[in-house]
Amino acid sequence: MDISAPQSRADSRKDRWCPGERCLAPSLDNKKLCEASIKSITVDGNGKPFAVVLYPDFQEKTIPLQRLQEVKSTKDYSRSLIFDDKDLEKPYFPDRKIPSLASAFQLSEDGDSIPYTINRYLRDYQREGAQFLYRHYIEGRGCILGDDMGLGKTIQVISFLAAVLHKKGTREDIENNMPEFLLKSMKKKPPSTAKKMFLIVAPLSVLYNWKDELDTWGYFRVTVLHGSKKDNELLRLKQRKCEIALTTYETLRLCLEELNSLEWSAIIVDEAHRIKNPKARVTEVMKAVKCKVRIGLTGTVLQNNMKELWCVMDWAVPGLLGSRIHFKKQFSDPVEHGQRHTATKRELATGRKAMHRLAKKMSGWFLRRTKTLIKGQLPKKEDRMVYCSLTDFQKAVYQTVLETEDVALILTSSQPCTCGSGQKRRKCCYKTNSRGDTVRTLCLSYLTVLQKVANHVALLQAASTSKHQETVIKRICDRVFSRFPDFVQKSKDAAFETLSDPKYSGKMKLLDVLQQYCMASGLDYRRLDGSTKSEERLKIVKEFNSSQDVNICLVSTMAGGLGLNFVGANVVILFDPTWNPANDLQAVD
């Protein structure tokens, strides 16, 4: 509705206005009249009255009183002045055709349901997942959603939250999220449901991805409890002005006492396999959170051994699998003994029975579906192992490492000792080298060194994770440098001329080498690693997924392998596989 329209509106103007009243005010671009609420009334230096009005999207504007008009009482009149209700529906995907399904999905007879705005985009197994979470929430107990990576655990959680928070995904949610004084001025009753608050704990790398997904799929009142503003957000939580709080494992540890003073409807933990060590600080903190309904999300609940499974389940449903000793005796030991290559038929049978009993015991509290559910809707995945030969320079450096006394000690450690005792050398006279380092320690250190050389010789100069390893590498470097006086220049040449830049520090990571390659080749790329700020990570992912010009994203497995959706990629190259295959699998899927 244009303000300049010839239609007279003198009859709809008022002489007196009060804070809290609804009115028709010029929109922010001054092209239309739209519904707003008067927040306060002020007078300028000339005595001219102005109103500070609050729009539905919570933006404010100062407007002269004479430009305000009264809202007519005709039903739906004010709505037509702003936009159609369909324009406000969430989620909204402009590049996707809206599915024809337009009905809510009932979760209970009490009326809790997934709104039609979300339900129309869900697959059947995702509705089942939301039902699973809802059932455990209503019964006041925890559970684990252990679906494969890529099956949409996040959207299943959001669907569940939308149901229990009575969201509609429409204009109604916007109005319900307004402050109570505005609702009263609009002659609307505040929502009758008791205020619920949910705590979502996630790694920092995906914290803002959760915020983005919640904003995409509905009108949730979300606060991010992290960084310098966490004290202000804690105050908002204590005033119960939020429905969902997002935080990290570290912030939870720092603010545990204050967060425990609040009443949480449920705590939802992303990447719950982090709670795998009963003696770790993170496990102690998570078990100290005061909340009965504990929901864990993980695609790899078991990474190394079955004790990790017990630890995660004991956090979500304390006592379900008994004590750690009981679990070890009844489940862990029989299964692991039955998996040995030397297992007898009896041990195999006992292991299978123990596994069946464990699966039956967990079935009501642990839900896992694999990608076979949607294999017909996914392109065929092809795995290739590409072997890259070492350069002549790499071979020379590699051979130099193999010729060290320490490697000779490692390679002969399993041979009979020269003293004639009959024991292996590493358990008799050759337990350590001349510097007191054990064979086991040397083995791990030199494996890391050889891995660096195989990836790129320039990495041999990189800072290591431990002081002992740095000492070993320095010792090797001295030997390499004595054999190759021009090693530094050769390694720079091998990593492209750009590495000879004066800013080059001599300490680099593998991603630095790959980045220099992209720069030297003129490729448009993005980089995401542990140093990337959490706010920037989401921006990088969006740019990579949406831009046709950005074809490469350099990502460290630990930083980008958790919860970030690189849907724009159809090829994943694991240049430096980790020792734990589960980490790489998490990143690929």
Side-chain angles (χ1 to χ4, degrees), residues 96-110:
R96 287 168 63 178
K97 184 179 179 181
I98 297 178
S100 56
L101 180 65
S103 59
F105 183 75
Q106 203 80 8
L107 292 179
S108 73
E109 295 179 357
D110 298 332

Side-chain angles (χ1 to χ4, degrees), residues 132-144 160 265-267 291-296 315-318 320 363-366:
F132 171 77
L133 298 175
Y134 179 80
R135 184 173 71 251
H136 283 273
Y137 168 76
I138 291 298
E139 294 173 357
R141 61 189 190 186
C143 62
I144 298 290
F160 152 70
S265 301
I267 176 174
C291 183
K292 287 185 178 180
V293 183
R294 298 173 174 179
I295 298 173
W315 166 79
V317 194
L320 175 67
S363 61
W365 286 266
F366 183 87

Side-chain angles (χ1 to χ4, degrees), residues 444-463:
L444 293 172
S445 297
Y446 276 86
L447 274 175
T448 303
V449 169
L450 291 173
Q451 185 184 30
K452 286 176 180 286
V453 175
N455 281 331
H456 200 286
V457 287
L459 299 177
L460 203 56
Q461 305 168 82

Side-chain angles (χ1 to χ4, degrees), residues 247-276:
T247 192
T248 64
Y249 287 87
E250 180 62 20
T251 305
L252 176 65
R253 181 182 67 81
L254 296 173
C255 304
L256 180 61
E257 188 175 341
E258 291 170 289
L259 291 174
N260 268 343
S261 67
L262 302 172
E263 185 180 344
W264 299 102
S265 301
I267 176 174
I268 300 164
V269 175
D270 197 7
E271 307 300 340
H273 51 264
R274 288 194 172 196
I275 316 171
K276 62 184 180 181

Side-chain angles (χ1 to χ4, degrees), residues 90 115 384 461 583:
K90 278 192 177 184
R384 288 186 188 178
Q461 305 168 82
N583 292 334

Side-chain angles (χ1 to χ4, degrees), residues 367-382:
L367 179 64
R368 176 171 174 79
R369 282 79 57 88
T370 63
K371 280 199 174 72
T372 53
L373 281 171
I374 55 172
K375 64 180 180 181
Q377 302 165 35
L378 295 174
K380 186 179 178 181
K381 179 181 171 183
E382 182 181 351

